[in-house]
Amino acid sequence: MKKLIALSVVALIAGLVAFYGRDALDLYRLMDHIATSSETSEADGGPWPRLTDACAGCHGRQGHSQHQQYPSLAGQPAPYLAAQLQRFASGERASPNMSPLAMTLSEADIQFLSAYFAKQPAASNGSFQPDATLQAKGEKLAANGGCAACHGEGLLGHDQYPRLAGQGHDYLLAQLNDFAQGRRQDPTGAMTAIAATLSDGDRQALAHYLAALPPAVK
């Protein structure tokens, strides 16, 4: 049956080309491309309307943020993303944007979004131009602070620990400041303790270093 259908399609295309010329073949190719792209997109992000569209305004298409102030979700560990959405929903973590949105999500929604963004490939923070002196200072601070012990090799994140490499500079700095000043807490207390030991200049340098890191091991 499949062979018969394939032969029928070939015959139909041949007939269209013979009757209408090459424009018919180009039109068929365009329609086939649109159909294939639509199927691929639906398989990746789900049918319309898409839950992921609510995230694109701040976090970018497929979780690739184009703004230093908003974090990129692409390539973040799914357990970390799920935990943060749950914390926003419960009020344990506060945000004027994220809290109301997270409260509307079911647990199935949270798991879907976490899995979706986790499987997207992370991209470099190409729009950020680090200060070389601050970047070098930040590298030493990251090494001395043992950041890799929790955030993994290359600071790419794993399990409940987020990817820091290639994140937006302004977002990273804001989170370090929030941890240092007690506005944000983490379950282990490690980030609060570490950030509290850093000066304003240290936090700025660390944010420079992390934002400039490649989001994948070379």
Side-chain angles (χ1 to χ4, degrees), residues 3-29:
K3 185 176 181 181
L4 179 60
I5 293 174
L7 290 173
S8 298
V9 170
V10 171
L12 175 61
I13 294 172
L16 288 172
V17 172
F19 189 79
Y20 292 104
R22 189 161 188 86
D23 287 347
L25 181 58
D26 291 339
L27 178 60
Y28 170 79
R29 286 173 174 169

Side-chain angles (χ1 to χ4, degrees), residues 38 77 82 191 211:
S38 178
M191 279 306 305

Side-chain angles (χ1 to χ4, degrees), residues 24 49 58 122 130:
C58 293

